């Protein structure tokens, strides 16, 4: 609200002086017609002024209720559907391009993730050409045959089921229909991964130190493997609960040899958002920063059509590792 300056006018006349005399002499110099007009107006006011008073009062009341140039505010109930619609559209855009919530249905990632945890998954950086990196916890679609025996978790109540479908569509609730998995990336395209006996897991011949493994488990779990060469454009994934995770080790007889196509990856889980007492980030463990692991990184030629994406890749990787420090 702007500053309001109210001027007060006293009933006392102007002091006699040069200014006062000049004003009066100027008034006396006006044409006599103004005097006649003034007299005519006073006569009209005396004759019909009483009829104009109610109209003036009504005008004042009307102007007080609806000032000129202003519109009456809309009713809250009329604006509520519009606000809800805008909120749903924003939620849908965020879920589609930026962040999506997922629920943890099994114990395969204990103790990093518990059953019922809600994680937020970054879906933005893959749009800039970033691919999954070793050590990241990622959500991916079933590459085929991994979840054939697990039914979708849906409520028996039709109303609750419909509400869940709507909320999951806009990203406000994890979907019960989509068959997605969550695991840790151990190796990427071009790597060789193996695990013998009780471990450790080796990537390109470098042993991993894995403090995130479920207590009492061995790095190989109950199934040793390898050496396995991971094809380009695919990743090798394992659960942190090695004795209770049907991960890449158990699907080596399927197309891809247990690896997951990068195109099936939804995004990286970067934070546990719910329940609040378990809020935590999901950084890349330090063991994946060993120099020897990066020896098999493929060279990406600077093709004309990908120059922009390659130029943005360092920035994207810095953004992805914001939560790792």
């Amino acid at each position: 609200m702007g500053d309001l300056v109210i001027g007060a006018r006293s009933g006392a006349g102007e002091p006699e002086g040069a200014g006062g005399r000049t004003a009066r002499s100027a008034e006396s110099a006006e044409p006599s017609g103004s005097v006649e007009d003034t007299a005519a107006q006073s006569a009209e006011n005396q004759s019909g002024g009483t009829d104009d008073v109610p109209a003036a009062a009504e005008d004042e009341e009307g102007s007080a209720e609806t000032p000129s140039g202003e519109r009456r505010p809309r009713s809250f109930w009329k604006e509520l559907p519009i606000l809800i619609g805008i909120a749903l559209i924003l939620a849908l855009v965020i879920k589609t391009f930026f962040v999506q919530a997922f629920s943890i249905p099994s114990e395969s990632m204990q103790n990093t993730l518990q059953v019922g945890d809600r994680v937020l998954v970054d879906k933005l950086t893959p749009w800039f050409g970033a691919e999954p990196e070793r050590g990241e916890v990622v959500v991916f679609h079933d590459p085929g045959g991994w979840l054939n025996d697990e039914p979708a978790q849906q409520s028996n109540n039709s109303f609750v089921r419909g509400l869940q479908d709507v909320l999951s569509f806009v990203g406000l609730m994890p979907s019960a229909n989509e068959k997605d998995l969550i695991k840790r990336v151990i190796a990427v395209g071009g790597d060789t991964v193996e695990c013998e006996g009780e471990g450790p897991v080796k990537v390109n011949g470098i042993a991993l130190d894995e403090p995130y493994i479920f207590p009492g488990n061995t790095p190989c779990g109950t199934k040793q493997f390898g050496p396995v060469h991971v094809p380009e454009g695919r990743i090798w994934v394992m659960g942190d609960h090695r004795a209770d995770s049907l991960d890449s080790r158990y699907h080596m007889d399927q197309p891809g040899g247990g690896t997951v196509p990068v195109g099936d990856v939804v995004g990286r889980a970067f934070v546990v958002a719910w329940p609040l007492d378990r809020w935590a980030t999901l950084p890349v463990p330090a063991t994946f920063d060993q120099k020897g692991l990066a020896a098999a990184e493929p060279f990406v030629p600077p093709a004309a059509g990908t120059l922009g994406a390659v130029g943005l890749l360092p920035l994207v990787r810095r953004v992805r590792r914001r939560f790792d420090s």
Side-chain angles (χ1 to χ4, degrees), residues 5 8 23-24 108 131 164 173 208 214 219 237 249 261 265 294 304 311 320:
V5 180
R24 281 195 294 272
S108 66
E131 295 187 354
Q164 182 179 14
M173 187 174 182
L208 299 180
F214 186 79
V237 297
R249 297 169 295 164
V265 176
R320 289 166 68 92

Side-chain angles (χ1 to χ4, degrees), residues 281-305:
T281 58
L282 297 172
V284 173
T287 189
F288 291 95
D289 291 331
Q290 299 180 73
K291 293 182 179 180
L293 295 180
E297 287 282 357
F299 172 73
V300 180

Side-chain angles (χ1 to χ4, degrees), residues 203-217:
V203 178
N204 300 325
I206 304 298
L208 299 180
D209 178 19
E210 302 181 281
Y212 47 79
I213 292 178
F214 186 79
N217 285 186

Side-chain angles (χ1 to χ4, degrees), residues 49-126:
T50 54
D51 295 336
D52 295 340
V53 171
E58 291 177 1
D59 291 340
E60 290 179 357
E61 292 177 358
S63 63
E65 292 178 0
T66 55
S68 61
E70 295 184 7
R71 300 177 61 183
R72 288 186 177 182
R74 287 186 179 181
S75 168
F76 169 76
W77 298 109
K78 290 182 179 180
E79 290 188 347
L80 184 59
I82 299 175
L83 296 176
I84 293 176
I86 294 174
L88 291 177
I89 292 174
L90 289 175
L92 180 60
V93 171
I94 291 172
K95 173 233 179 177
T96 303
F97 298 102
F98 297 95
V99 176
Q100 185 175 355
F102 285 86
S103 177
I104 306 304
S106 70
E107 301 174 349
S108 66
M109 282 297 292
Q110 288 180 328
N111 275 334
T112 304
L113 300 173
Q114 302 292 345
V115 176
D117 283 355
R118 299 292 195 272
V119 297
L120 298 182
V121 174
D122 167 28
K123 301 177 69 174
L124 175 62
T125 52

Side-chain angles (χ1 to χ4, degrees), residues 29-296:
E30 291 180 355
S32 59
S34 61
V35 177
E36 293 176 0
D37 293 341
T38 304
Q41 291 175 2
S42 62
E44 288 177 2
N45 291 338
Q46 291 177 0
S47 59
T50 54
D51 295 336
D52 295 340
V53 171
E58 291 177 1
D59 291 340
E60 290 179 357
E61 292 177 358
S63 63
E65 292 178 0
T66 55
S68 61
E70 295 184 7
R71 300 177 61 183
R72 288 186 177 182
R74 287 186 179 181
S75 168
F76 169 76
W77 298 109
K78 290 182 179 180
E79 290 188 347
L80 184 59
I82 299 175
L83 296 176
I84 293 176
I86 294 174
L88 291 177
I89 292 174
L90 289 175
L92 180 60
V93 171
I94 291 172
K95 173 233 179 177
T96 303
F97 298 102
F98 297 95
V99 176
Q100 185 175 355
F102 285 86
S103 177
I104 306 304
S106 70
E107 301 174 349
S108 66
M109 282 297 292
Q110 288 180 328
N111 275 334
T112 304
L113 300 173
Q114 302 292 345
V115 176
D117 283 355
R118 299 292 195 272
V119 297
L120 298 182
V121 174
D122 167 28
K123 301 177 69 174
L124 175 62
T125 52
W127 287 88
F128 293 95
E131 295 187 354
E133 298 181 5
R134 306 176 195 89
E136 293 181 345
V137 177
V138 297
V139 172
F140 57 94
H141 301 309
D142 184 355
W146 288 37
L147 294 175
N148 284 342
D149 299 330
E150 294 190 20
Q153 299 178 355
Q154 288 188 316
S155 172
N156 295 326
N157 187 303
S158 59
F159 174 77
V160 174
R161 190 165 58 249
L163 181 62
Q164 182 179 14
D165 290 342
V166 172
L167 294 178
S168 63
F169 176 73
V170 297
L172 299 178
M173 187 174 182
S175 174
N177 296 321
E178 296 179 1
K179 290 188 174 183
D180 298 322
L181 301 96
I182 184 167
K183 306 290 181 187
R184 189 180 298 275
V185 179
I186 302 299
V188 297
D191 289 345
T192 298
V193 58
E194 60 185 313
C195 189
E196 296 181 359
E198 295 186 353
V201 175
K202 294 181 180 180
V203 178
N204 300 325
I206 304 298
L208 299 180
D209 178 19
E210 302 181 281
Y212 47 79
I213 292 178
F214 186 79
N217 285 186
T218 61
C220 298
T222 57
K223 189 175 181 64
Q224 60 181 6
F225 61 92
V228 175
H229 180 74
V230 182
E232 296 293 344
R234 305 182 77 92
I235 55 176
W236 178 273
V237 297
M238 299 175 70
D240 290 354
H241 194 167
R242 298 288 161 84
D244 192 15
S245 177
L246 297 178
D247 46 43
S248 291
R249 297 169 295 164
Y250 292 89
H251 300 281
M252 296 177 62
D253 58 340
Q254 296 179 1
T259 60
V260 178
V262 170
D264 287 345
V265 176
V266 177
R268 174 192 175 186
F270 63 95
V271 67
V272 180
W274 186 265
L276 294 179
D277 60 351
R278 281 190 44 77
W279 190 96
T281 58
L282 297 172
V284 173
T287 189
F288 291 95
D289 291 331
Q290 299 180 73
K291 293 182 179 180
L293 295 180

